[in-house]
């Protein structure tokens, strides 16, 4: 019996360590959009420690995020227990993080895909949502370069015709 408790504690520790070190931003928000969890990715890219952001609203820390727009995106996640997506093609970023590969990357800011997911409690209610932030900068930069080459090719064909 005591071994099971130790194993459970070790597994819990591994899960927490994984959440802190994964190369994806993870934020947990309550219904008032107060931050309850802030992982290492978010700390690294924002420069804000978990202790600095905990229990503060997302909008007080990031005033560039439109409160009404974000609340509309989050509403079905809370109410209908469905996921919501924010894609870089529609909105390049939610968090204005600098591109952390300025030498190899030509983009000034980190392009992001974001998934909002419901976190269902033991009572079946959704009091918190998770936000996962994926760095899409390399993909966005590649797509933009490809589109620029296609435009150049098209213009060259028009000149040659």
């Amino acid at each position: 019996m005591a071994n099971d408790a130790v194993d459970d504690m070790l597994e819990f520790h591994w899960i927490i360590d994984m959440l802190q070190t994964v190369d994806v931003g993870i934020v947990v928000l309550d219904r008032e959009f107060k931050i309850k969890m802030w992982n290492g990715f978010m700390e690294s890219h924002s420069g804000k420690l978990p202790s600095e952001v905990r229990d503060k609203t997302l909008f007080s820390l990031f005033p560039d995020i439109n409160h009404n727009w974000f609340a509309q995106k989050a509403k079905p996640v809370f109410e209908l227990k469905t996921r919501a997506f924010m894609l870089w093609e529609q909105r390049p970023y939610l968090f204005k993080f600098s591109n952390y590969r300025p030498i190899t990357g030509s983009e000034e800011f980190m392009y992001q895909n974001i998934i909002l997911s419901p976190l269902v409690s033991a009572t079946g209610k959704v009091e918190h949502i998770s936000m996962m932030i994926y760095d899409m900068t390399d993909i966005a930069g590649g797509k933009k370069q490809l589109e620029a080459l296609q435009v150049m090719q098209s213009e060259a064909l028009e000149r040659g015709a």
Side-chain angles (χ1 to χ4, degrees), residues 125-137:
K125 293 184 179 171
V126 177
E127 298 300 330
H128 297 86
I129 60 173
S130 72
M131 181 170 26
M132 298 184 82
I133 298 94
Y134 297 89
D135 181 356
M136 302 301 291
T137 308

Side-chain angles (χ1 to χ4, degrees), residues 75-130:
K75 186 175 180 177
V77 182
F78 281 114
E79 304 303 326
L80 304 175
K81 301 179 188 175
T82 62
R83 296 168 116 193
F85 302 88
M86 299 171 211
L87 304 177
W88 71 266
E89 291 98 337
Q90 298 160 340
R91 181 185 196 103
Y93 57 83
L94 182 65
F95 297 96
K96 196 172 183 177
F97 295 157
S98 295
N99 179 9
Y100 64 100
R101 290 180 272 215
I103 294 168
T104 58
S106 58
E107 306 303 326
E108 187 178 354
F109 299 105
M110 178 193 293
Y111 285 75
Q112 301 158 7
N113 277 356
I114 297 173
I115 300 173
L116 300 179
S117 299
L119 297 175
V120 182
S121 70
T123 63
K125 293 184 179 171
V126 177
E127 298 300 330
H128 297 86
I129 60 173
S130 72

Side-chain angles (χ1 to χ4, degrees), residues 4-17:
D4 287 344
V6 170
D7 287 346
D8 288 347
M9 284 295 285
L10 287 173
E11 186 175 335
F12 181 72
H13 177 76
W14 294 332
I15 290 169
I16 295 300
D17 192 44

